[in-house]
């Protein structure tokens, strides 16, 4: 088609996206030096790709057994509705037909909803981990993050975040059982759970509260209680309440700021542990729901689109946190309250999540 034809075709497909990205960069340099503008421009470009539009339209999916069964049953109810000899069953069939239609619509939209909720998850974790916790650490030590004191405290806080994830994963693991002398058949996950409890005690005694046996015992009991609680939660519950867990991670230190009952620095350990506990299983559930929806030949392309949206959400989340922090003087404790309110808003969206997924 010649050089000019190729150029025209490229501009027709990508001209608007390039213009929006260029405007985003111009806005960054001329109006507001925030990652939000550039991320928004790039996300607009992603939204115009073939892969994104396929996800949004529910194309390229792999039909699972449950969805196929619903399709067969819908065909049966529609055939029965056309059968003049079953008029007495028409109200019942119409009701079932509507239910099946709604269920199949949710199956079709499942990848879209999973992709959006994964992006919201990014806006929960990354501003907390990479902005709130470092700034909080500096507020507690009175020293910049490059100092040994701040680096050590930040590492402890991240340890609490990841230890919460470890508690949930250990509690929800399901492994084969082994036969042991005097004990009979013991599921292998019991050894993992025991190891996590031992690790809780070691972490407390050697890092969090060195030499304090009571604190180590309390942390072991607390980890055991959280494991017991975690076993009772379904995949839907992890997703449904992850936003509120992050809201609590910001609100609890805000409420205990200046408290003589529980030091705010200690309260952040509890908050981060709870946030990490909910984040891990909810991410696994959403990622599994997204990736299991597609034909394996298309999975790489779809993961690329979802990853682009996820990374854009990280930039917007951190950029938003930076903007809020910069607008507050002094930043603490007000920043905790504002971020908690934002997380609570995201948490309300997660509370609605079960209505948007099939099954």
């Amino acid at each position: 088609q010649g050089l000019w034809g190729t150029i025209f075709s490229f501009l027709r497909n990508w001209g608007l996206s390039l213009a929006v990205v260029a405007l985003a960069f111009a806005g960054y340099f001329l109006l507001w030096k925030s990652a939000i503008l550039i991320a928004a421009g790039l996300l607009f470009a992603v939204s115009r790709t073939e892969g994104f539009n396929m996800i949004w339209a529910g194309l390229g999916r792999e039909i699972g057994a449950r969805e196929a069964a619903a399709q067969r049953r819908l065909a049966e109810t529609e055939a029965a509705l056309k059968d003049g000899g079953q008029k007495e069953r028409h109200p019942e069939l119409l009701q079932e037909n509507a239910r099946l239609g709604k269920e199949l619509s949710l199956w079709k939209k499942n990848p879209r909803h999973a992709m959006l909720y994964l992006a919201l998850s990014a806006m929960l974790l990354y501003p907390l981990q990479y902005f709130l916790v470092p700034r909080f650490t500096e507020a507690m030590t009175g020293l910049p993050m490059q100092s040994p004191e701040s680096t050590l405290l930040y590492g402890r806080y991240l340890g609490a975040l990841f230890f919460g994830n470890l508690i949930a994963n250990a509690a929800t693991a399901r492994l084969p059982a082994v036969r042991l002398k005097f004990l009979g058949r013991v599921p292998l996950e019991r050894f993992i759970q025991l190891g996590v409890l031992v690790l809780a005690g070691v972490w407390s005694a050697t890092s969090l509260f060195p030499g304090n046996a009571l604190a180590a015992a309390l942390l072991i009991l607390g980890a055991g209680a959280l494991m017991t609680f975690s076993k009772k939660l379904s995949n839907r519950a992890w997703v449904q309440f992850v936003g509120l867990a992050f809201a609590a991670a910001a609100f609890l230190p805000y409420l205990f700021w200046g408290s003589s009952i529980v030091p705010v620095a200690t309260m952040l350990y509890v908050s981060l542990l709870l946030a990490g506990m909910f984040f891990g299983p909810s991410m696994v559930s959403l990622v599994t729901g997204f990736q299991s929806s597609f034909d394996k030949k298309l999975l790489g392309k779809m993961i690329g689109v979802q990853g682009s949206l996820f990374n854009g959400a990280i930039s917007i989340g951190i950029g938003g946190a930076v903007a809020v922090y910069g607008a507050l003087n002094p930043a603490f404790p007000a920043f905790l309250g504002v971020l908690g309110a934002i997380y609570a808003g995201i948490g309300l969206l997660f509370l609605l999540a079960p209505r948007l997924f099939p099954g």
Side-chain angles (χ1 to χ4, degrees), residues 3 21 26 30 35 108 132 151 154 157 178 230 287 321:
L3 177 61
V21 171
L30 300 176
K108 185 176 181 179
L132 169 61
T151 301
Y154 179 61
Y157 283 142
V178 294
S230 297
V287 169

Side-chain angles (χ1 to χ4, degrees), residues 228-348:
T228 302
F229 171 73
S230 297
K231 293 177 186 177
K232 302 180 184 298
L233 293 181
S234 64
N235 289 338
R236 281 176 170 264
W238 288 117
V239 173
Q240 192 171 11
F241 295 108
V242 64
L244 296 184
F246 273 79
F251 274 135
L252 285 176
Y254 175 73
L255 295 174
F256 280 84
W257 194 273
S259 171
S260 59
I261 302 173
V262 179
V264 66
T266 302
M267 183 52 64
L268 188 64
Y269 284 119
V270 178
S271 301
L272 291 173
L273 191 144
L274 289 174
M277 191 177 82
F278 275 85
F279 186 79
S282 67
M283 276 291 290
V284 169
S285 181
L286 290 170
V287 169
T288 301
F290 179 81
Q291 295 187 4
S292 63
S293 299
F294 293 106
D295 186 313
K296 298 302 180 285
K297 295 177 182 178
L298 297 171
L299 185 56
K301 176 192 287 189
M302 302 311 183
I303 290 176
V305 174
Q306 182 269 314
S308 297
L309 195 71
F310 189 85
N311 289 326
I314 292 174
S315 297
I316 290 174
I318 294 178
V322 171
V324 171
Y325 184 85
L328 298 171
N329 186 23
F332 286 103
F335 180 57
L336 292 165
V338 174
L339 193 63
I342 294 171
Y343 280 163
I346 297 175
L348 291 178

Side-chain angles (χ1 to χ4, degrees), residues 75-295:
E76 293 171 1
T77 60
E78 289 178 342
L81 284 169
K82 295 177 182 178
D83 186 353
Q86 298 191 49
K87 289 185 178 180
E88 70 282 355
R89 292 189 60 215
H90 277 201
E92 173 190 342
L93 291 170
L94 284 171
Q95 186 176 10
E96 184 177 7
N97 204 39
R99 180 186 62 78
L100 289 168
K102 182 179 179 181
E103 180 182 345
L104 289 171
S105 176
L106 290 178
W107 279 112
K108 185 176 181 179
K109 295 175 181 177
N110 180 60
R112 178 203 306 183
H113 292 156
M115 178 178 67
L116 293 175
Y117 272 100
L118 283 167
L120 284 175
S121 298
M123 296 178 74
L124 290 174
L125 177 66
Y126 290 90
L128 181 85
Q129 180 177 343
Y130 292 114
F131 190 78
L132 169 61
V133 177
R135 302 292 79 76
F136 184 93
T137 300
E138 290 175 336
M140 292 298 100
T141 62
L143 299 169
M145 277 301 299
Q146 294 80 3
S147 68
E149 294 84 354
S150 292
T151 301
L152 179 60
L153 184 58
Y154 179 61
R156 289 172 176 171
Y157 283 142
L158 289 188
L161 184 69
F162 296 129
F163 191 72
N165 191 3
L166 185 62
I167 286 174
N169 288 335
T172 55
R174 295 294 178 268
L175 298 173
V178 294
R179 185 175 294 280
L180 299 175
K181 194 173 183 180
F182 305 119
L183 296 177
R185 292 179 61 81
V186 180
L188 283 174
E189 64 263 23
R190 295 289 180 267
F191 296 101
I192 296 176
Q193 292 159 7
L194 179 61
V196 171
L197 294 178
V198 172
L199 182 60
V202 172
W203 182 41
S204 175
T206 60
S207 180
L208 295 182
F209 308 102
N212 191 327
L214 178 59
L218 290 174
L219 187 57
I220 291 171
L221 290 174
L226 289 174
M227 273 198 237
T228 302
F229 171 73
S230 297
K231 293 177 186 177
K232 302 180 184 298
L233 293 181
S234 64
N235 289 338
R236 281 176 170 264
W238 288 117
V239 173
Q240 192 171 11
F241 295 108
V242 64
L244 296 184
F246 273 79
F251 274 135
L252 285 176
Y254 175 73
L255 295 174
F256 280 84
W257 194 273
S259 171
S260 59
I261 302 173
V262 179
V264 66
T266 302
M267 183 52 64
L268 188 64
Y269 284 119
V270 178
S271 301
L272 291 173
L273 191 144
L274 289 174
M277 191 177 82
F278 275 85
F279 186 79
S282 67
M283 276 291 290
V284 169
S285 181
L286 290 170
V287 169
T288 301
F290 179 81
Q291 295 187 4
S292 63
S293 299
F294 293 106
D295 186 313

